[in-house]
Every structure is written in C-alpha cells, then in structure tokens.
Amino acid sequence: MDRVPQGSVLGPLLFLLYINDLPNSVLGGKIKLFADDTNLFVSAKTMNELESKANSFLLNLDSWLKAN
C-alpha cells in the first residue's frame, strides 16, 4: 500500500476524502467528525432499544472500517 508521508501538503485533503463517507455508514445515527475525533450519538426511548441501536451502529462502523 502506498502511503502519504506525514506532514505532507496532500495529507489533510486525502484524509478528508477517505473519511468523508463515514457518516453514511450509520443510517439513523448521528456522527460528528472533528479534527482528530469522531463521535457517534444514539438516542432511544428505552435502555434496551438504546443498547440495540448502539450495537447495530457499531457493527456498521466496524464493517466500514474493515472495508476502508
């Protein structure tokens, strides 16, 4: 795999292109991307529903990360 040298001018742009579709991997959840941090927000009416949704979203994120 070719890599972009750390500190290169293209590094930030290529990272944004790479990470840009991450929020699309979690339908129904809300993802906020920050400079070096990602947050997943999940809401539900019951604790069981919250746990089920969070696990589902995390599995989707896991699949995205493995694919990319």
Side-chain angles (χ1 to χ4, degrees):
M1 175 196 313
D2 293 326
R3 297 180 187 260
V4 178
Q6 186 173 357
S8 73
V9 175
L10 285 178
L13 176 62
L14 293 174
F15 177 75
L16 288 175
L17 290 173
Y18 165 73
I19 202 83
N20 194 41
D21 69 335
L22 175 66
N24 297 333
S25 70
V26 179
L27 300 176
K30 179 115 179 163
I31 291 185
K32 291 286 188 177
L33 301 173
F34 299 99
D36 62 350
D37 193 18
T38 302
N39 292 315
L40 169 62
F41 297 92
V42 183
S43 62
K45 293 183 181 186
T46 67
M47 191 59 111
N48 287 338
E49 183 185 0
L50 181 65
E51 182 179 2
S52 177
K53 279 184 168 183
N55 284 328
S56 175
F57 294 159
L58 290 172
L59 285 172
N60 289 343
L61 282 174
D62 181 59
S63 295
W64 185 91
L65 290 167
K66 287 177 181 174
N68 291 286

Coordinates of all heavy atoms in Angstrom, one line a residue:
M1 N 0.8 -1.2 0.0 CA 0.0 0.0 0.0 C 0.9 1.2 0.0 O 1.8 1.3 0.8 CB -0.9 0.0 1.3 CG -1.7 1.2 1.4 SD -2.5 1.6 3.0 CE -3.2 0.2 3.5
D2 N 0.6 2.2 -0.9 CA 1.3 3.4 -0.9 C 0.8 4.3 0.2 O -0.4 4.4 0.5 CB 1.1 4.1 -2.2 CG 1.8 3.4 -3.3 OD1 2.8 2.8 -3.1 OD2 1.3 3.4 -4.5
R3 N 1.7 5.0 0.9 CA 1.3 5.9 2.0 C 1.7 7.3 1.6 O 2.6 7.6 0.9 CB 1.9 5.5 3.3 CG 1.4 4.1 3.7 CD 2.1 3.7 4.9 NE 1.8 2.3 5.2 CZ 0.8 1.9 6.1 NH1 0.2 2.8 6.7 NH2 0.6 0.6 6.3
V4 N 1.0 8.3 2.3 CA 1.3 9.7 2.1 C 2.2 10.0 3.3 O 1.9 9.7 4.4 CB 0.0 10.6 2.2 CG1 0.4 12.0 2.1 CG2 -0.9 10.2 1.0
P5 N 3.4 10.7 3.0 CA 4.3 11.0 4.1 C 3.6 11.9 5.2 O 2.8 12.8 4.8 CB 5.4 11.7 3.5 CG 5.3 11.3 2.0 CD 3.9 11.0 1.8
Q6 N 3.8 11.7 6.4 CA 3.3 12.5 7.5 C 3.8 13.9 7.3 O 5.0 14.2 7.1 CB 3.7 12.0 8.9 CG 3.0 12.7 10.0 CD 3.3 12.1 11.3 OE1 3.9 11.0 11.4 NE2 2.8 12.7 12.4
G7 N 2.9 14.9 7.4 CA 3.3 16.3 7.3 C 3.2 16.8 5.9 O 3.5 18.0 5.6
S8 N 2.8 16.0 4.9 CA 2.8 16.4 3.5 C 1.6 17.4 3.3 O 0.6 17.4 4.1 CB 2.7 15.2 2.6 OG 1.4 14.7 2.6
V9 N 1.7 18.1 2.3 CA 0.6 19.1 1.9 C -0.7 18.3 1.6 O -1.8 18.8 1.9 CB 1.1 20.0 0.8 CG1 -0.1 20.9 0.3 CG2 2.3 20.8 1.2
L10 N -0.6 17.2 0.9 CA -1.7 16.4 0.5 C -2.4 15.6 1.6 O -3.5 15.2 1.5 CB -1.4 15.5 -0.6 CG -1.1 16.1 -2.0 CD1 -0.7 15.0 -3.0 CD2 -2.4 16.8 -2.5
G11 N -1.7 15.4 2.7 CA -2.2 14.6 3.8 C -3.6 14.9 4.3 O -4.5 14.0 4.3
P12 N -3.8 16.2 4.7 CA -5.2 16.5 5.2 C -6.3 16.3 4.1 O -7.4 15.9 4.4 CB -5.0 18.0 5.6 CG -3.6 18.2 5.8 CD -2.9 17.2 4.9
L13 N -6.0 16.7 2.9 CA -7.0 16.6 1.8 C -7.3 15.1 1.6 O -8.5 14.7 1.5 CB -6.5 17.2 0.5 CG -7.4 17.0 -0.7 CD1 -8.8 17.7 -0.4 CD2 -6.8 17.6 -1.9
L14 N -6.3 14.3 1.5 CA -6.6 12.8 1.3 C -7.3 12.2 2.4 O -8.1 11.3 2.2 CB -5.2 12.1 1.0 CG -4.6 12.5 -0.3 CD1 -3.2 11.9 -0.5 CD2 -5.4 12.2 -1.5
F15 N -7.0 12.6 3.7 CA -7.7 12.1 4.8 C -9.2 12.5 4.8 O -10.0 11.6 5.0 CB -7.1 12.6 6.1 CG -7.8 12.2 7.3 CD1 -7.7 10.9 7.8 CD2 -8.7 13.0 8.0 CE1 -8.4 10.4 8.9 CE2 -9.4 12.6 9.1 CZ -9.2 11.3 9.6
L16 N -9.5 13.7 4.4 CA -10.9 14.1 4.3 C -11.6 13.3 3.2 O -12.8 13.0 3.4 CB -10.9 15.6 4.0 CG -10.6 16.5 5.2 CD1 -10.6 18.0 4.7 CD2 -11.5 16.3 6.3
L17 N -11.0 13.1 2.1 CA -11.6 12.3 1.1 C -11.9 10.8 1.6 O -12.9 10.3 1.3 CB -10.7 12.2 -0.2 CG -10.6 13.5 -1.0 CD1 -9.6 13.4 -2.1 CD2 -12.0 13.9 -1.5
Y18 N -10.9 10.3 2.3 CA -11.1 9.0 2.9 C -12.2 8.9 3.9 O -13.0 8.0 3.8 CB -9.7 8.6 3.5 CG -9.8 7.4 4.4 CD1 -9.9 6.1 3.9 CD2 -9.7 7.5 5.8 CE1 -10.0 5.0 4.7 CE2 -9.7 6.4 6.6 CZ -9.9 5.1 6.1 OH -9.9 4.1 6.9
I19 N -12.3 9.8 4.8 CA -13.2 9.7 5.9 C -14.6 10.3 5.6 O -15.5 10.2 6.4 CB -12.6 10.4 7.2 CG1 -13.2 9.9 8.5 CG2 -12.7 11.9 7.1 CD1 -12.6 8.7 8.9
N20 N -14.7 11.0 4.5 CA -15.9 11.8 4.1 C -17.2 10.9 4.2 O -18.2 11.4 4.6 CB -15.7 12.4 2.8 CG -16.8 13.5 2.5 OD1 -17.1 14.2 3.4 ND2 -17.3 13.5 1.3
D21 N -17.2 9.7 3.8 CA -18.4 8.9 3.7 C -18.7 8.1 5.0 O -19.6 7.3 5.0 CB -18.4 8.0 2.5 CG -17.4 6.9 2.5 OD1 -16.4 7.0 3.2 OD2 -17.6 5.9 1.9
L22 N -17.9 8.2 6.0 CA -18.1 7.5 7.3 C -19.5 7.7 7.8 O -20.1 6.8 8.2 CB -17.0 7.9 8.3 CG -17.2 7.3 9.7 CD1 -17.0 5.8 9.6 CD2 -16.2 7.9 10.6
P23 N -20.0 9.0 7.9 CA -21.3 9.2 8.4 C -22.4 8.4 7.7 O -23.5 8.1 8.2 CB -21.6 10.7 8.3 CG -20.2 11.3 8.4 CD -19.3 10.3 7.6
N24 N -22.2 8.1 6.4 CA -23.2 7.4 5.6 C -23.3 5.9 6.1 O -24.2 5.2 5.7 CB -22.9 7.4 4.1 CG -22.9 8.8 3.6 OD1 -23.6 9.7 4.1 ND2 -22.2 9.1 2.6
S25 N -22.3 5.4 6.8 CA -22.3 4.0 7.3 C -23.3 3.8 8.4 O -23.6 2.6 8.7 CB -20.9 3.6 7.6 OG -20.5 4.2 8.8
V26 N -23.8 4.8 9.1 CA -24.7 4.7 10.2 C -26.0 5.4 9.9 O -26.1 6.6 10.2 CB -24.0 5.3 11.5 CG1 -25.0 5.1 12.7 CG2 -22.7 4.6 11.8
L27 N -26.9 4.7 9.3 CA -28.2 5.3 9.0 C -29.0 5.3 10.3 O -29.2 4.3 10.9 CB -28.9 4.5 7.9 CG -28.1 4.4 6.6 CD1 -28.9 3.5 5.6 CD2 -27.9 5.8 6.0
G28 N -29.6 6.5 10.6 CA -30.4 6.6 11.8 C -29.6 7.1 13.0 O -30.2 7.6 13.9
G29 N -28.3 7.1 12.9 CA -27.5 7.6 14.0 C -26.9 9.0 13.5 O -27.1 9.4 12.4
K30 N -26.3 9.6 14.4 CA -25.7 10.9 14.1 C -24.2 10.9 14.4 O -23.8 10.5 15.5 CB -26.3 12.0 14.9 CG -25.8 13.4 14.7 CD -26.8 14.3 14.1 CE -26.2 15.7 13.9 NZ -27.0 16.4 13.0
I31 N -23.4 11.1 13.4 CA -21.9 11.1 13.6 C -21.4 12.6 13.4 O -21.8 13.2 12.4 CB -21.2 10.2 12.6 CG1 -21.6 8.8 13.0 CG2 -19.7 10.4 12.6 CD1 -20.9 7.7 12.1
K32 N -20.6 13.0 14.3 CA -19.9 14.3 14.2 C -18.4 14.0 14.0 O -17.8 13.3 14.8 CB -20.1 15.1 15.5 CG -21.5 15.6 15.6 CD -21.8 16.7 14.7 CE -23.2 17.3 15.0 NZ -23.4 18.4 14.1
L33 N -17.8 14.6 13.0 CA -16.4 14.4 12.7 C -15.7 15.7 13.2 O -16.1 16.8 12.8 CB -16.2 14.2 11.3 CG -16.8 12.9 10.7 CD1 -16.6 12.9 9.2 CD2 -16.2 11.7 11.3
F34 N -14.6 15.6 13.9 CA -13.8 16.7 14.3 C -12.4 16.5 13.8 O -12.2 15.5 13.1 CB -13.8 16.8 15.9 CG -15.2 17.1 16.5 CD1 -15.9 16.0 17.0 CD2 -15.7 18.3 16.5 CE1 -17.2 16.2 17.5 CE2 -17.0 18.5 17.0 CZ -17.7 17.5 17.5
A35 N -11.5 17.4 14.1 CA -10.2 17.3 13.5 C -9.5 15.9 13.7 O -9.1 15.3 12.8 CB -9.3 18.4 14.1
D36 N -9.5 15.5 14.9 CA -8.9 14.1 15.2 C -9.8 13.3 16.1 O -9.3 12.4 16.8 CB -7.5 14.3 15.8 CG -7.6 15.0 17.2 OD1 -8.7 15.5 17.5 OD2 -6.6 15.0 17.9
D37 N -11.1 13.5 16.0 CA -12.0 12.8 16.9 C -13.3 12.5 16.1 O -13.7 13.3 15.2 CB -12.3 13.7 18.1 CG -13.0 12.9 19.2 OD1 -13.0 11.7 19.2 OD2 -13.6 13.6 20.1
T38 N -14.0 11.5 16.4 CA -15.3 11.1 15.9 C -16.3 10.7 17.0 O -15.9 10.0 17.9 CB -15.2 9.9 14.9 OG1 -14.3 10.3 13.8 CG2 -16.5 9.6 14.2
N39 N -17.5 11.3 17.0 CA -18.5 11.0 18.0 C -19.7 10.4 17.3 O -20.1 10.9 16.3 CB -18.9 12.2 18.8 CG -17.8 12.8 19.6 OD1 -17.1 12.0 20.3 ND2 -17.6 14.1 19.6
L40 N -20.2 9.4 17.9 CA -21.5 8.7 17.5 C -22.6 9.0 18.5 O -22.4 8.7 19.7 CB -21.3 7.2 17.4 CG -22.6 6.4 17.1 CD1 -23.2 6.8 15.8 CD2 -22.2 4.9 17.2
F41 N -23.7 9.6 18.1 CA -24.8 10.0 19.0 C -25.9 9.0 18.7 O -26.3 8.9 17.6 CB -25.2 11.4 18.8 CG -24.2 12.4 19.2 CD1 -23.3 12.9 18.2 CD2 -24.0 12.9 20.5 CE1 -22.3 13.8 18.5 CE2 -23.0 13.8 20.8 CZ -22.2 14.2 19.8
V42 N -26.5 8.4 19.8 CA -27.6 7.5 19.6 C -28.6 7.9 20.7 O -28.3 8.1 21.8 CB -27.1 6.0 19.9 CG1 -28.2 5.0 19.7 CG2 -25.9 5.6 19.0
S43 N -29.9 7.9 20.2 CA -30.9 8.1 21.2 C -32.1 7.1 21.0 O -32.2 6.5 20.0 CB -31.5 9.5 21.0 OG -32.1 9.6 19.7
A44 N -32.8 6.8 22.1 CA -33.8 5.9 22.1 C -34.7 6.1 23.3 O -34.4 6.8 24.3 CB -33.3 4.4 22.2
K45 N -35.9 5.5 23.3 CA -36.9 5.7 24.4 C -36.6 4.8 25.6 O -36.9 5.1 26.7 CB -38.3 5.5 23.9 CG -38.7 6.6 22.9 CD -40.1 6.4 22.5 CE -40.4 7.5 21.5 NZ -41.8 7.6 21.1
T46 N -36.0 3.6 25.4 CA -35.7 2.7 26.4 C -34.3 2.3 26.4 O -33.6 2.4 25.4 CB -36.6 1.4 26.3 OG1 -36.2 0.7 25.2 CG2 -38.1 1.7 26.3
M47 N -33.8 1.8 27.5 CA -32.4 1.4 27.6 C -32.1 0.2 26.7 O -31.1 0.1 26.1 CB -32.1 1.0 29.1 CG -30.6 0.8 29.3 SD -29.7 2.3 28.9 CE -29.1 2.7 30.5
N48 N -33.1 -0.8 26.6 CA -32.9 -1.9 25.7 C -32.8 -1.5 24.2 O -32.0 -2.0 23.5 CB -34.0 -2.9 25.9 CG -33.9 -3.7 27.2 OD1 -32.8 -3.8 27.8 ND2 -35.0 -4.2 27.6
E49 N -33.7 -0.5 23.9 CA -33.6 0.0 22.5 C -32.3 0.7 22.2 O -31.7 0.6 21.1 CB -34.8 0.9 22.3 CG -34.9 1.5 20.8 CD -36.0 2.5 20.7 OE1 -36.7 2.8 21.6 OE2 -36.2 3.0 19.5
L50 N -31.9 1.5 23.2 CA -30.6 2.2 23.1 C -29.4 1.2 22.9 O -28.6 1.4 22.0 CB -30.3 3.1 24.3 CG -29.1 3.9 24.3 CD1 -29.1 5.0 23.2 CD2 -28.9 4.5 25.7
E51 N -29.4 0.2 23.7 CA -28.3 -0.8 23.6 C -28.4 -1.5 22.2 O -27.3 -1.7 21.5 CB -28.5 -1.8 24.7 CG -27.4 -2.9 24.7 CD -27.5 -3.9 25.8 OE1 -28.5 -3.8 26.6 OE2 -26.6 -4.8 25.8
S52 N -29.6 -1.8 21.7 CA -29.7 -2.5 20.4 C -29.3 -1.6 19.3 O -28.5 -2.0 18.4 CB -31.2 -2.9 20.2 OG -31.4 -3.5 19.0
K53 N -29.7 -0.3 19.3 CA -29.3 0.6 18.3 C -27.8 0.9 18.3 O -27.1 0.9 17.2 CB -30.0 2.0 18.5 CG -31.4 2.0 18.0 CD -31.9 3.5 18.2 CE -33.2 3.7 17.4 NZ -33.6 5.1 17.6
A54 N -27.2 1.1 19.5 CA -25.8 1.3 19.6 C -25.0 0.2 19.0 O -24.0 0.4 18.3 CB -25.4 1.6 21.0
N55 N -25.4 -1.0 19.4 CA -24.7 -2.2 18.9 C -24.8 -2.3 17.4 O -23.8 -2.6 16.7 CB -25.2 -3.5 19.6 CG -24.7 -3.7 21.0 OD1 -23.6 -3.2 21.3 ND2 -25.5 -4.3 21.8
S56 N -25.9 -2.0 16.8 CA -26.1 -2.1 15.4 C -25.3 -1.0 14.7 O -24.6 -1.3 13.7 CB -27.6 -1.8 15.1 OG -27.8 -1.8 13.7
F57 N -25.2 0.2 15.2 CA -24.4 1.2 14.6 C -22.9 0.9 14.7 O -22.2 1.1 13.8 CB -24.7 2.6 15.3 CG -26.1 3.1 15.1 CD1 -26.6 4.0 16.0 CD2 -26.9 2.7 14.1 CE1 -27.9 4.5 15.9 CE2 -28.2 3.2 13.9 CZ -28.7 4.1 14.8
L58 N -22.5 0.3 15.8 CA -21.1 0.0 16.0 C -20.7 -1.2 15.0 O -19.6 -1.2 14.5 CB -20.8 -0.4 17.4 CG -20.8 0.8 18.4 CD1 -20.7 0.3 19.8 CD2 -19.8 1.8 18.1
L59 N -21.6 -2.1 14.8 CA -21.3 -3.1 13.8 C -21.2 -2.5 12.4 O -20.4 -3.0 11.6 CB -22.4 -4.2 13.8 CG -22.4 -5.2 15.0 CD1 -23.6 -6.0 15.0 CD2 -21.1 -6.0 15.0
N60 N -22.1 -1.6 12.1 CA -22.0 -0.9 10.8 C -20.6 -0.1 10.7 O -20.0 -0.2 9.6 CB -23.1 0.1 10.6 CG -24.4 -0.6 10.3 OD1 -24.5 -1.8 10.0 ND2 -25.5 0.1 10.5
L61 N -20.2 0.5 11.7 CA -18.9 1.2 11.7 C -17.8 0.3 11.6 O -16.8 0.5 10.8 CB -18.7 2.0 13.0 CG -19.5 3.4 13.1 CD1 -19.3 3.9 14.5 CD2 -19.0 4.3 12.1
D62 N -17.9 -0.9 12.3 CA -16.8 -1.9 12.2 C -16.7 -2.4 10.7 O -15.6 -2.5 10.2 CB -17.2 -3.1 13.1 CG -16.2 -4.1 13.1 OD1 -15.0 -3.9 13.4 OD2 -16.5 -5.3 12.7
S63 N -17.8 -2.6 10.1 CA -17.8 -3.0 8.7 C -17.2 -2.0 7.8 O -16.4 -2.3 6.9 CB -19.2 -3.3 8.2 OG -19.8 -4.4 8.9
W64 N -17.5 -0.7 8.0 CA -16.9 0.4 7.2 C -15.4 0.4 7.4 O -14.7 0.6 6.4 CB -17.6 1.7 7.6 CG -17.1 2.8 6.7 CD1 -17.7 3.2 5.5 CD2 -16.0 3.7 6.9 NE1 -16.9 4.3 5.0 CE2 -15.9 4.6 5.8 CE3 -15.0 3.7 7.9 CZ2 -14.9 5.5 5.7 CZ3 -14.0 4.7 7.8 CH2 -14.0 5.6 6.7
L65 N -15.0 0.3 8.6 CA -13.6 0.4 8.9 C -12.8 -0.7 8.3 O -11.7 -0.6 7.7 CB -13.3 0.4 10.4 CG -13.8 1.7 11.1 CD1 -13.8 1.6 12.6 CD2 -12.9 2.9 10.7
K66 N -13.4 -1.9 8.3 CA -12.7 -3.1 7.7 C -12.7 -2.9 6.2 O -11.7 -3.4 5.6 CB -13.4 -4.4 8.1 CG -13.2 -4.8 9.5 CD -14.0 -6.0 9.9 CE -13.7 -6.4 11.4 NZ -14.6 -7.5 11.8
A67 N -13.7 -2.4 5.6 CA -13.7 -2.2 4.2 C -12.8 -1.1 3.7 O -12.3 -1.1 2.5 CB -15.2 -1.9 3.7
N68 N -12.5 -0.1 4.5 CA -11.7 1.0 4.2 C -10.4 1.0 4.8 O -9.6 1.8 4.8 CB -12.4 2.3 4.5 CG -13.6 2.5 3.6 OD1 -13.5 2.8 2.4 ND2 -14.8 2.3 4.1

